[in-house]
Amino acid sequence: MPRLFTAAALSLLLVSTSFAEVLTFAFAEGEPPISDMLNGEVVGLIPELATLAVNQTGDLQMHARALPWARAQHEVELGRLDALLTYPSKTRQVYAVFTPTPAYHLDFGYLVFHRDNPHRAQIESANSFADLHGLTFVAQQGVGFEEQNVPSSVQRIYAHQLDAVLHLLLKRRVGDFAIMQPEQAVYLAQSFGYAQALAFQRAPFIPDAQIPFHIGISRLHPQAEQLIERLEKTLNSPAFTHARDALVKRYR
C-alpha cells in the first residue's frame, strides 16, 4: 500500500510539473558579470535574479537564452521570446508589460579606488562632489552618464575602455577614483588580479545612479497581464527580498 501511495504521489507531481508555464527569458551575452554565455549556459547576476523570481512564483519555470542585446530585445518584441529583465524604457513598454516593482537596481552610485590611495579618508567621507576637490576622476571616454552627472569642475582624465579605467587606478596608480557598479568592479579586479587593491564606497550624492530593472513580458504573450500580476506578488514578498539581497551580496 505505501508503494502505491508513493507512485500516485509521484504521478501527481509529474502532472503538476508538466502543466507549469515555461517562460523563455532573453538576456544579453558578453556583459559579464551582469549577463553572459559561458560553456553553453546563460550566467550572470541578471539571469540569476530572473531565475529566483520565477522559481518563487508558483507553476512557473524559466528557460534562458543569451543573445546580442539588440537581437534579444527584438525577439521579445516579435513574441518569439517571452520575457526580459531590464530598464522599462518607453520604447520597451511599447512591446512589453512590466512589473510595477523593480526586481533589482543597477547601481552606479559608488566610488571605486585603490585601497592604499593616500586620499582614501577624503574619498570615503565625501558627501558631495565638492568634497572630492583636488582629486582626479578617471572617466571612461564617451559615457554620457558620467558627463551628465559629474560636474565639469571635477578634474578628470579619460580612459577609452572600462578595463583601462581599472588598469589606471589599481595598477598604474594614476588618478584617484572612478564611478562604477561594485559588481562590475569586483569582476574586473578579480579578472586582472587586482582584487586585493580594490576598494569602493557608496556615494549617494551621484545623481540618477540607480537604474531600476523590472521584469517584462511580451505583449504578444496571451497571459502577459496575469503573469505580471503573479510576478509582482513575488517581487514584493519578504522571501524574494531576502534571497535577492543575499545574491547581490555574493556578486560584491
Side-chain angles (χ1 to χ4, degrees):
M1 192 66 155
R3 288 185 178 179
L4 290 174
F5 177 80
T6 301
L10 178 60
S11 177
L12 286 172
L13 177 62
L14 292 173
V15 170
S16 174
T17 302
S18 68
F19 281 102
E21 177 80 34
V22 179
L23 292 177
T24 302
F25 270 72
F27 299 104
E29 65 178 13
E31 297 185 10
I34 303 303
S35 181
D36 200 8
M37 176 73 79
L38 181 64
N39 298 326
E41 293 187 13
V42 182
V43 297
L45 175 58
I46 294 301
E48 286 198 57
L49 282 167
T51 301
L52 186 64
V54 169
N55 286 349
Q56 290 194 9
T57 304
D59 296 326
L60 280 186
Q61 295 180 8
M62 190 187 89
H63 177 68
R65 290 279 308 280
L67 301 164
W69 186 227
R71 180 184 166 194
Q73 296 174 85
H74 191 54
E75 291 294 296
V76 175
E77 183 176 5
L78 295 177
R80 293 200 285 248
L81 298 181
D82 302 312
L84 68 179
L85 175 53
T86 188
Y87 175 68
S89 65
K90 290 183 178 179
T91 300
R92 294 180 185 128
Q93 289 184 50
V94 171
Y95 63 81
V97 185
F98 286 88
T99 56
T101 300
Y104 169 68
H105 284 87
L106 201 64
D107 195 348
F108 289 89
Y110 284 82
L111 302 179
V112 175
F113 54 95
H114 196 293
R115 66 173 58 254
D116 294 330
N117 188 304
H119 306 292
R120 178 172 180 171
Q122 181 180 355
I123 295 171
E124 292 183 332
S125 63
N127 292 309
S128 68
F129 282 112
D131 293 336
L132 298 171
H133 178 73
L135 304 186
T136 300
F137 168 40
V138 182
Q140 186 180 356
Q141 190 76 46
V143 175
F145 170 81
E146 295 180 347
E147 296 300 323
Q148 294 167 18
N149 291 289
V150 180
S152 59
S153 58
V154 176
Q155 178 179 316
R156 70 194 72 194
I157 58 175
Y158 286 96
H160 290 292
Q161 296 179 336
L162 200 57
D163 295 4
V165 171
L166 277 195
H167 289 319
L168 287 173
L169 277 177
L170 304 183
K171 182 179 181 180
R172 296 177 57 189
R173 305 287 296 272
V174 175
D176 295 297
F177 68 92
I179 294 174
M180 200 178 299
Q181 306 161 240
E183 297 90 345
Q184 189 79 59
V186 168
Y187 173 80
L188 290 174
Q190 290 176 342
S191 299
F192 298 127
Y194 302 154
Q196 296 305 312
L198 176 69
F200 52 86
Q201 174 67 38
R202 185 84 176 88
F205 54 85
I206 299 175
D208 304 322
Q210 292 201 5
I211 302 173
F213 272 41
H214 300 241
I215 296 176
I217 305 293
S218 171
R219 290 186 181 275
L220 296 178
H221 192 291
Q223 302 297 320
E225 296 286 353
Q226 295 91 325
L227 287 167
I228 287 297
E229 288 181 9
R230 293 166 61 192
L231 288 162
E232 174 68 10
K233 290 180 181 178
T234 297
L235 297 183
N236 283 284
S237 69
F240 175 80
T241 300
H242 178 75
R244 177 198 60 200
D245 292 348
L247 173 61
V248 173
K249 185 176 180 180
R250 178 159 58 80
Y251 275 81
R252 295 182 180 180

